[in-house]
Amino acid sequence: MARIGTRRVAVSLVALSLGALVAGCGADDADATTRVTGTDDACELASTDLPAGTIGFEFANEGSTVSELYVLRENDDIVGEVENVGPGTARTLTVDLAAGEYRARCKPGQQGDGITAAFTVSGEGGTEQAAPDRTIRFDAVDFDYRDLDLDGIATGDTIRFEMANTADQPHEFEVLDPAGDAVGEVAAVAPGETGGATITFAEAGTYRYRCILVDEASGEQHDALGMAGEFEVAAS
């Protein structure tokens, strides 16, 4: 069974193996690049038709508040993200995409559903999303993850996480590897909605999960209120 804890852990945006999550400060290794301009009420891509392969999204925050950028698959799974992009600054998100339909999501203020812009990737190359070995379904209720069974995960397993939010405020489910780096997340899910993420576990050890959205009533992050825990990934 998962062991519940409330300790906060530092997170940096790194790799989601086979899901292809890569974030960096530059796009030197990208096969193609495109500019994404975020403002307080818009999210605009310089190009909406991109070639398959490694793509650098150069995110320029021209809004008045801190923002973030997500790239999402057609099924709403997050491929990659960059957070804490201040007004007047820019960061590059580099992701590996196979042909398909995707969306960029700018989130001014790092709150709410954000603003999306659709784009198409075509041609040969890129990394397809791995087919899951099994699906783990659970609920977000108040400040708890219920029916979350994380037993029996081993290295090389690809798990589809599906979270139904039956609470009265948004929740997310972020997974951190043994080094404390993010390897994937179910992005903020509104009450009454369901979100998903597909993660391949490349390394054995103790993983953590959490929700770091902020409770407006208390001003506390949800992980400090109980939405956090640990689970083990065994060597296969």
Side-chain angles (χ1 to χ4, degrees):
M1 296 295 295
R3 299 192 300 277
I4 303 299
T6 58
R7 186 177 68 171
R8 299 187 188 188
V9 287
V11 58
S12 60
L13 184 63
V14 289
L16 172 59
S17 58
L18 298 183
L21 174 75
V22 184
C25 297
D28 293 342
D29 296 330
D31 299 319
T33 60
T34 187
R35 181 181 174 88
V36 183
T37 303
T39 64
D40 293 337
D41 55 10
C43 185
E44 298 180 351
L45 288 98
S47 175
T48 57
D49 189 3
L50 299 168
T54 305
I55 303 170
F57 292 84
E58 299 171 345
F59 179 47
N61 181 7
E62 297 183 0
S64 61
T65 63
V66 66
S67 189
E68 57 193 11
L69 173 70
Y70 294 81
V71 171
L72 303 114
R73 299 184 190 276
E74 196 170 17
N75 64 359
D76 284 339
D77 279 12
I78 296 172
V79 185
E81 64 177 297
V82 287
E83 301 174 326
N84 301 315
V85 183
T89 67
R91 289 181 61 191
T92 297
L93 169 65
T94 305
V95 290
D96 186 13
L97 303 180
E101 300 298 322
Y102 298 86
R103 288 178 295 125
R105 175 184 289 166
C106 305
K107 192 179 285 190
Q110 299 191 134
Q111 297 179 344
D113 295 332
I115 306 158
T116 61
F119 66 95
T120 300
V121 174
S122 56
E124 300 295 326
T127 300
E128 298 278 358
Q129 184 174 45
D133 298 299
R134 66 181 170 112
T135 298
I136 295 175
R137 296 181 175 87
F138 60 100
D139 292 337
V141 184
D142 299 322
F143 298 108
D144 188 22
Y145 297 115
R146 295 187 184 171
D147 300 318
L148 178 59
D149 183 2
L150 297 169
D151 288 343
I153 300 175
T155 54
D157 286 352
T158 297
I159 306 297
R160 172 78 179 168
F161 295 92
E162 292 186 358
M163 183 181 77
N165 185 358
T166 55
D168 59 1
Q169 63 179 297
H171 289 300
E172 65 182 6
F173 179 77
E174 181 178 52
V175 177
L176 310 175
D177 69 12
D181 294 327
V183 294
E185 70 173 289
V186 179
V189 177
E193 301 294 328
T194 298
T198 302
I199 302 174
T200 297
F201 292 89
E203 180 182 358
T206 301
Y207 285 70
R208 299 181 178 92
Y209 58 87
R210 64 181 188 171
C211 175
I212 57 173
L213 299 182
V214 175
D215 175 43
E216 291 186 4
S218 65
E220 295 282 346
Q221 289 187 176
H222 293 184
D223 57 346
L225 298 172
M227 297 194 82
E230 296 181 347
F231 63 100
E232 297 295 326
V233 172
S236 58

